[in-house]
């Protein structure tokens, strides 16, 4: 929120450079986490991830974008929780919070929830198969898609985001 005396208040544009940096941090951390999940996550924690996927599928089928968004966030959080990586969660949660506006902006885009679900299935499959390198690759593809879709959105909606470097 930006407040300008005598002019009013408005929602600040999202700085793409900030998003790029937050995405870079998230990508680095979550790729490592998913590799550890595939190597050492308990069978019960893997089953819980699978249950989350079933709920995601139901949310998409019923058109519940808000429910899907919450399950998406939970899916990623379950990975650190399933490994008892509380400190990693303490770092990742604020990063995800910084990216929340971007995630909510992109969520209603046609095909977005379905694509995210397919990517989550691929991540889950690699974890369940105990294939750390494959899991890391699937997570990288998943997070890279967000970046590509964001750039496509920006191209279709000029002026929606601030494309200047906020440090300038």
């Amino acid at each position: 929120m930006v407040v300008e005396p005598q002019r009013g208040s408005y929602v600040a544009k999202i700085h793409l450079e900030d998003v790029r940096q937050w995405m870079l941090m998230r990508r680095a951390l979550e790729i490592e986490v998913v590799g550890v999940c595939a190597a050492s996550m308990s069978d019960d924690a893997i089953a819980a991830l699978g249950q989350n996927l079933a709920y995601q599928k139901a949310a998409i089928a019923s058109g519940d974008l808000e429910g899907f968004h919450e399950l998406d966030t939970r899916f990623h959080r379950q990975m650190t929780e399933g490994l008892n990586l509380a400190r990693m969660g303490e770092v990742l949660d604020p990063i995800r919070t910084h990216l929340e506006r971007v995630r909510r902006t992109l969520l209603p885009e046609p095909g977005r929830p379905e694509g995210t679900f397919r990517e989550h299935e691929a991540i889950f499959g690699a974890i369940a198969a105990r294939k750390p390198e494959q899991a890391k690759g699937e997570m990288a593809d998943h997070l890279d898609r967000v970046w590509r879709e964001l750039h496509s959105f920006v191209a279709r909606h000029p002026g929606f985001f601030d494309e200047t470097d906020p440090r300038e």
Side-chain angles (χ1 to χ4, degrees), residues 109-121:
E109 290 289 294
R112 176 92 177 110
E114 295 82 3
T116 297
F117 175 74
R118 284 189 302 274
E119 292 161 1
H120 286 173
E121 280 187 313

Side-chain angles (χ1 to χ4, degrees), residues 2 10-16 18 101 158-163:
V2 175
Y10 59 93
V11 176
K13 291 181 181 181
I14 300 169
H15 289 277
L16 281 180
D18 288 345
R101 279 179 66 197
F160 195 88
F161 288 84
D162 186 340
E163 297 184 60

Side-chain angles (χ1 to χ4, degrees), residues 24 49 58 83 90 108 121 155 158 165:
L24 184 62
L49 279 176
L83 295 169
E90 289 171 2
E121 280 187 313
D165 189 330

Side-chain angles (χ1 to χ4, degrees), residues 13-14 18 22 38 50 53 55 85 87 112 127 129 132 136-137 143-144 146 149 164-165:
K13 291 181 181 181
I14 300 169
D18 288 345
W22 290 118
L53 282 176
Y55 292 142
L85 296 176
R87 299 300 159 256
R112 176 92 177 110
I127 291 171
K136 289 170 140 184
L143 296 175
D144 290 348
V146 174
E149 287 184 358
T164 63
D165 189 330

Side-chain angles (χ1 to χ4, degrees), residues 15-146:
H15 289 277
L16 281 180
E17 177 57 22
D18 288 345
V19 173
R20 185 187 71 77
Q21 291 183 40
W22 290 118
M23 284 295 299
L24 184 62
M25 286 183 272
R26 180 180 178 197
R27 186 180 190 282
L29 294 172
E30 287 204 43
I31 287 172
E32 291 306 312
V33 167
V34 80
V36 177
C37 287
S40 61
M41 186 176 248
S42 73
D43 290 341
D44 288 343
I46 291 172
L49 279 176
Q51 185 66 51
N52 179 297
L53 282 176
Y55 292 142
Q56 286 182 39
K57 186 174 187 177
I60 290 169
S62 68
D64 181 6
L65 283 181
E66 183 60 33
F68 177 77
H69 176 75
E70 291 173 17
L71 289 162
D72 176 1
T73 300
R74 181 79 187 124
F75 180 78
H76 288 269
R77 190 173 287 133
Q78 280 178 265
M79 290 182 213
T80 55
E81 291 172 354
L83 295 169
N84 293 317
L85 296 176
R87 299 300 159 256
M88 186 67 76
E90 289 171 2
V91 172
L92 277 166
D93 283 345
I95 290 171
R96 289 188 196 111
T97 299
H98 283 289
L99 294 167
E100 186 66 13
R101 279 179 66 197
V102 170
R103 293 179 67 224
R104 288 194 176 274
T105 298
L106 295 177
L107 183 62
E109 290 289 294
R112 176 92 177 110
E114 295 82 3
T116 297
F117 175 74
R118 284 189 302 274
E119 292 161 1
H120 286 173
E121 280 187 313
I123 292 165
F124 172 76
I127 291 171
R130 304 289 186 188
K131 296 182 176 179
E133 291 308 311
Q134 181 181 340
K136 289 170 140 184
E138 297 294 353
M139 182 64 79
D141 290 347
H142 174 54
L143 296 175
D144 290 348
R145 178 174 157 248
V146 174

